[in-house]
């Protein structure tokens, strides 16, 4: 089980990686609130996806967001380091994603 600090660092690493990406035109205008609930730590992180970039990542008191992710701490680290793919993790139930259909399609193009 990863620590809360490791999870926060992983989300910040993801934010940096997305900031360094080419910024696909398909992501322009995509502005959504995001929450990530880490089940085994009972911690929620929140942030915003703006034009395909993750910003303002911080611990949150609420999981209310337009896009809500739920996963274990180990799955979060594996997702960020690339050893776990979002689609397969979602299909097998390791990661729960709550979002509108359009948001899911946008997420697929970003990650």
């Amino acid at each position: 089980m990863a620590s809360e600090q490791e999870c926060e660092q992983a989300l910040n690493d993801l934010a940096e990686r997305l900031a360094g990406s080419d910024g696909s035109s398909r992501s322009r205008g995509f502005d959504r609130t995001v929450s990530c609930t880490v089940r085994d730590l009972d911690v929620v992180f929140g942030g915003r996806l703006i034009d395909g970039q993750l910003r303002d990542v911080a611990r949150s008191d609420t999981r209310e967001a337009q896009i809500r992710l739920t996963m274990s701490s180990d799955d979060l680290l594996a997702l960020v380091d690339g050893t776990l793919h979002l689609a397969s993790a979602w299909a097998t139930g390791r990661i729960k994603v709550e979002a509108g259909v359009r948001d899911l399609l946008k997420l697929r193009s970003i990650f």
Side-chain angles (χ1 to χ4, degrees):
M1 179 168 71
S3 70
E4 181 179 335
Q5 292 77 21
E6 289 172 313
C7 290
E8 186 170 13
Q9 183 59 52
L11 288 168
N12 285 315
D13 291 347
L14 176 61
E16 287 178 24
R17 190 172 72 219
L18 290 174
S21 68
D22 64 357
S24 169
S25 62
R26 291 178 288 171
S27 299
R28 300 227 189 294
F30 187 61
D31 184 357
R32 299 288 186 272
T33 56
V34 179
S35 70
C36 179
T37 301
V38 183
R39 285 187 301 254
D40 53 337
L41 299 177
D42 196 28
V43 173
V44 178
F45 294 97
R48 293 192 71 83
L49 265 174
I50 302 173
D51 294 332
Q53 295 186 12
L54 183 59
R55 299 183 184 167
D56 305 324
V57 175
R59 188 165 178 177
S60 177
D61 294 330
T62 179
R63 70 180 293 272
E64 293 304 313
Q66 293 163 310
I67 299 171
R68 294 176 303 280
L69 305 167
T70 304
M71 65 193 78
S72 72
S73 59
D74 290 336
D75 285 341
L76 173 59
L77 277 100
L79 181 68
V80 172
D81 75 15
T83 58
L84 179 64
H85 298 284
L86 181 62
S88 63
W90 172 74
T92 59
R94 290 176 67 178
I95 294 177
K96 182 177 178 182
V97 180
E98 298 173 76
V101 174
R102 287 185 180 173
D103 291 342
L104 289 172
L105 294 172
K106 286 284 190 179
L107 279 176
R108 193 180 93 180
S109 70
I110 293 169
F111 292 98

